[in-house]
Amino acid sequence: MNKAMDAVLQDQQASATGLAPNASAAAPVGLSANAAKRIGVIVASEGNPALKLRVSVSGGGCSGFQYSFTLDDAVTGDDLLVQRDGATLVIDQISADYMRGAEIDFVEDLSGAGFQIRNPLATASCGCGNSFAV
Protein backbone atom coordinates (compact mmCIF):
# COMPACT_ATOMS: atom_id res chain seq x y z
CA MET A 1 0.00 0.00 0.00
CA ASN A 2 1.28 3.47 -0.72
CA LYS A 3 1.73 6.28 1.82
CA ALA A 4 -1.32 8.22 0.63
CA MET A 5 -3.57 5.18 1.11
CA ASP A 6 -2.03 4.54 4.55
CA ALA A 7 -2.87 8.12 5.56
CA VAL A 8 -6.45 7.76 4.33
CA LEU A 9 -6.88 4.51 6.26
CA GLN A 10 -5.46 6.10 9.42
CA ASP A 11 -7.88 9.01 9.06
CA GLN A 12 -10.78 6.59 8.55
CA GLN A 13 -9.78 4.56 11.57
CA ALA A 14 -9.45 7.74 13.61
CA SER A 15 -12.94 8.81 12.52
CA ALA A 16 -14.33 5.44 13.54
CA THR A 17 -12.70 5.62 16.96
CA GLY A 18 -13.19 9.34 17.55
CA LEU A 19 -9.44 9.84 17.89
CA ALA A 20 -7.02 12.00 15.99
CA PRO A 21 -4.82 10.14 13.49
CA ASN A 22 -1.87 8.43 15.19
CA ALA A 23 -3.44 8.98 18.62
CA SER A 24 -2.15 6.54 21.20
CA ALA A 25 -5.23 5.01 22.77
CA ALA A 26 -6.68 1.54 22.92
CA ALA A 27 -8.53 0.38 19.83
CA PRO A 28 -12.31 -0.01 20.28
CA VAL A 29 -11.83 -3.74 19.60
CA GLY A 30 -8.80 -5.60 20.90
CA LEU A 31 -6.85 -8.34 19.16
CA SER A 32 -4.80 -10.74 21.28
CA ALA A 33 -1.32 -11.90 20.35
CA ASN A 34 -2.67 -15.44 19.87
CA ALA A 35 -5.36 -14.20 17.48
CA ALA A 36 -2.85 -12.12 15.51
CA LYS A 37 -0.54 -15.11 15.23
CA ARG A 38 -3.37 -17.36 14.00
CA ILE A 39 -4.50 -14.77 11.43
CA GLY A 40 -0.90 -14.73 10.16
CA VAL A 41 -0.91 -18.53 9.82
CA ILE A 42 -4.24 -18.50 7.98
CA VAL A 43 -3.20 -15.70 5.61
CA ALA A 44 0.13 -17.42 4.88
CA SER A 45 -1.66 -20.69 4.09
CA GLU A 46 -3.86 -18.87 1.56
CA GLY A 47 -0.84 -17.44 -0.28
CA ASN A 48 -2.31 -13.94 -0.49
CA PRO A 49 -0.62 -11.48 1.90
CA ALA A 50 -3.32 -8.87 1.18
CA LEU A 51 -5.94 -10.92 3.04
CA LYS A 52 -7.35 -9.71 6.33
CA LEU A 53 -9.71 -11.34 8.82
CA ARG A 54 -13.14 -9.71 8.59
CA VAL A 55 -15.45 -10.06 11.59
CA SER A 56 -19.09 -9.12 11.24
CA VAL A 57 -22.25 -9.24 13.33
CA SER A 58 -25.57 -10.23 11.83
CA GLY A 59 -29.02 -11.12 13.10
CA GLY A 60 -29.49 -14.78 13.89
CA GLY A 61 -28.17 -17.52 16.08
CA CYS A 62 -29.88 -18.77 19.20
CA SER A 63 -29.34 -15.51 21.15
CA GLY A 64 -30.30 -12.90 18.53
CA PHE A 65 -26.97 -11.90 16.97
CA GLN A 66 -24.12 -13.97 15.61
CA TYR A 67 -20.49 -13.41 14.66
CA SER A 68 -19.04 -14.47 11.34
CA PHE A 69 -15.42 -14.65 10.23
CA THR A 70 -14.26 -14.41 6.62
CA LEU A 71 -11.06 -13.62 4.76
CA ASP A 72 -11.21 -10.44 2.72
CA ASP A 73 -8.73 -8.43 0.67
CA ALA A 74 -10.97 -5.36 0.39
CA VAL A 75 -11.33 -2.48 2.84
CA THR A 76 -14.13 0.08 2.55
CA GLY A 77 -14.14 3.65 3.81
CA ASP A 78 -16.32 2.79 6.82
CA ASP A 79 -14.28 -0.20 7.98
CA LEU A 80 -12.50 -0.22 11.31
CA LEU A 81 -8.98 -1.66 11.08
CA VAL A 82 -7.30 -3.28 14.06
CA GLN A 83 -3.66 -4.23 13.54
CA ARG A 84 -1.30 -6.24 15.67
CA ASP A 85 1.94 -8.08 14.94
CA GLY A 86 1.45 -7.82 11.17
CA ALA A 87 -2.14 -9.11 11.22
CA THR A 88 -5.14 -6.99 10.29
CA LEU A 89 -8.68 -7.37 11.55
CA VAL A 90 -11.44 -5.59 9.59
CA ILE A 91 -14.84 -4.75 11.05
CA ASP A 92 -17.62 -2.87 9.29
CA GLN A 93 -18.97 0.14 11.19
CA ILE A 94 -22.34 -1.39 12.10
CA SER A 95 -20.69 -4.53 13.49
CA ALA A 96 -18.14 -2.40 15.35
CA ASP A 97 -21.02 -0.69 17.18
CA TYR A 98 -22.01 -4.09 18.62
CA MET A 99 -18.41 -4.95 19.52
CA ARG A 100 -17.08 -1.82 21.31
CA GLY A 101 -14.61 -2.90 23.96
CA ALA A 102 -14.53 -6.54 22.80
CA GLU A 103 -11.37 -8.64 22.76
CA ILE A 104 -10.82 -11.18 20.00
CA ASP A 105 -8.65 -14.13 20.98
CA PHE A 106 -7.69 -17.47 19.48
CA VAL A 107 -8.10 -20.32 21.94
CA GLU A 108 -6.99 -23.95 21.72
CA ASP A 109 -8.27 -26.35 24.36
CA LEU A 110 -9.65 -29.88 24.73
CA SER A 111 -12.96 -28.94 23.10
CA GLY A 112 -11.31 -27.51 19.98
CA ALA A 113 -9.69 -24.42 18.58
CA GLY A 114 -11.18 -21.20 17.30
CA PHE A 115 -11.55 -17.47 17.57
CA GLN A 116 -13.31 -16.33 20.72
CA ILE A 117 -14.86 -12.91 21.27
CA ARG A 118 -15.20 -11.55 24.78
CA ASN A 119 -17.78 -8.81 24.29
CA PRO A 120 -18.66 -6.59 27.27
CA LEU A 121 -21.81 -5.40 25.48
CA ALA A 122 -23.26 -8.91 25.33
CA THR A 123 -25.91 -9.51 27.99
CA ALA A 124 -26.30 -13.20 27.13
CA SER A 125 -24.66 -15.74 24.87
CA CYS A 126 -25.19 -19.29 23.72
CA GLY A 127 -23.09 -22.26 24.79
CA CYS A 128 -20.86 -22.14 21.70
CA GLY A 129 -20.12 -18.43 22.13
CA ASN A 130 -20.91 -17.53 18.51
CA SER A 131 -24.29 -16.05 19.30
CA PHE A 132 -25.09 -13.23 21.72
CA ALA A 133 -27.74 -10.77 22.88
CA VAL A 134 -27.37 -7.08 23.71
Side-chain angles (χ1 to χ4, degrees):
M1 215 178 292
N2 64 33
K3 288 182 182 182
M5 182 59 107
D6 285 342
V8 168
L9 292 176
Q10 284 178 346
D11 287 345
Q12 290 167 350
Q13 185 174 6
S15 295
T17 62
L19 301 172
N22 302 316
S24 60
V29 176
L31 184 63
S32 74
N34 283 342
K37 182 178 178 181
R38 186 61 178 188
I39 292 168
V41 168
I42 293 168
V43 168
S45 73
E46 292 292 318
N48 180 356
L51 290 174
K52 298 151 190 61
L53 182 67
R54 180 176 288 278
V55 179
S56 59
V57 173
S58 61
C62 53
S63 295
F65 294 98
Q66 62 188 1
Y67 301 110
S68 64
F69 298 90
T70 57
L71 293 175
D72 198 345
D73 60 1
V75 176
T76 67
D78 290 339
D79 285 338
L80 171 68
L81 301 177
V82 180
Q83 298 177 325
R84 180 170 184 169
D85 302 332
T88 302
L89 179 72
V90 180
I91 308 170
D92 66 89
Q93 193 60 54
I94 293 171
S95 296
D97 289 342
Y98 288 99
M99 296 176 64
R100 295 280 174 217
E103 173 77 17
I104 298 175
D105 194 8
F106 184 80
V107 178
E108 293 182 83
D109 58 27
L110 293 175
S111 62
F115 289 101
Q116 183 178 80
I117 300 176
R118 288 182 288 279
N119 187 343
L121 299 178
T123 58
S125 66
C126 65
C128 67
N130 287 327
S131 178
F132 67 101
V134 290

